[in-house]
Amino acid sequence: MREAATIIERMARREARALLLIPSSIPAPPGVLDPQVSLLTVACPRCGARPEPPLEQPDDRPVVTILACETLANRALLSVLAAGAPGRYLSRGVFVARHRSFENVTELLIALDTAESWADSRRSGPSVDAVVPASTRVANEVPSHFLSPHPSSELDDLNTLYARVRYAAVRAGL
């Protein structure tokens, strides 16, 4: 379990660094609310939420795939913007949904940590399974979880550790 805790701490610090980024487009011109990132929603295998029909999006911007039932905080997209190039990214919720075959949580965390490590050097993510280093939550709800909008209770201690480390890292960064 110590290996999982070490990974969780690294992921929490990574998210904290991403939350503190300031994109070059800020301040945006008055009235411009376009986030410059496209969101693609996919069906959730856990709760069955289905996506709305997609809106047409420009081809020259990053695309973040999220579950139809989840949402990411606005600041969660800063790492994608800071990469400075169009690319394809997944939320942690999508990654977990696509990789449910892992034997245990530690294996899943190792794979997830690797998939979002692109953000450590602030370079564009790899073309497959680049994960946005950000907590997720069920749409229209406040509580977030480091791994999935549908976490199991066995992850409560890891989520508490994650939140504590992320908060401390953001506070230190401010």
Side-chain angles (χ1 to χ4, degrees), residues 124-145:
S124 182
S127 60
V128 178
D129 284 355
V131 175
V132 178
S135 297
T136 181
R137 62 181 179 249
V138 173
N140 302 317
E141 291 188 15
V142 175
S144 66
H145 193 273

Side-chain angles (χ1 to χ4, degrees), residues 39-174:
L39 296 177
L40 173 65
T41 56
V42 295
C44 177
R46 177 94 182 258
C47 71
R50 297 269 177 229
E52 298 289 324
L55 301 173
E56 194 167 323
Q57 302 283 345
D59 292 334
D60 62 341
R61 58 175 55 185
V63 176
V64 177
T65 302
I66 63 172
L67 298 172
C69 60
E70 81 174 320
T71 189
L72 299 176
N74 293 339
R75 292 198 68 82
L77 301 176
L78 290 177
S79 62
V80 173
L81 289 172
R88 299 191 73 78
Y89 302 85
L90 306 176
S91 69
R92 287 177 177 169
V94 171
F95 185 89
V96 169
R98 290 183 179 176
H99 295 86
R100 293 182 295 174
S101 63
F102 282 105
E103 296 280 326
N104 60 51
V105 172
T106 301
E107 282 183 25
L108 176 65
L109 292 175
I110 290 169
L112 180 58
D113 183 42
T114 299
E116 66 181 38
S117 65
W118 65 271
D120 293 339
S121 62
R122 294 192 190 143
R123 59 179 169 74
S124 182
S127 60
V128 178
D129 284 355
V131 175
V132 178
S135 297
T136 181
R137 62 181 179 249
V138 173
N140 302 317
E141 291 188 15
V142 175
S144 66
H145 193 273
F146 79 97
L147 195 58
S148 170
H150 305 292
S152 62
S153 60
E154 69 189 40
L155 297 173
D156 286 350
D157 289 344
L158 290 176
N159 193 55
T160 299
L161 172 64
Y162 185 95
R164 186 173 43 83
V165 171
R166 183 186 63 198
Y167 177 76
V170 167
R171 186 170 181 205
L174 293 173

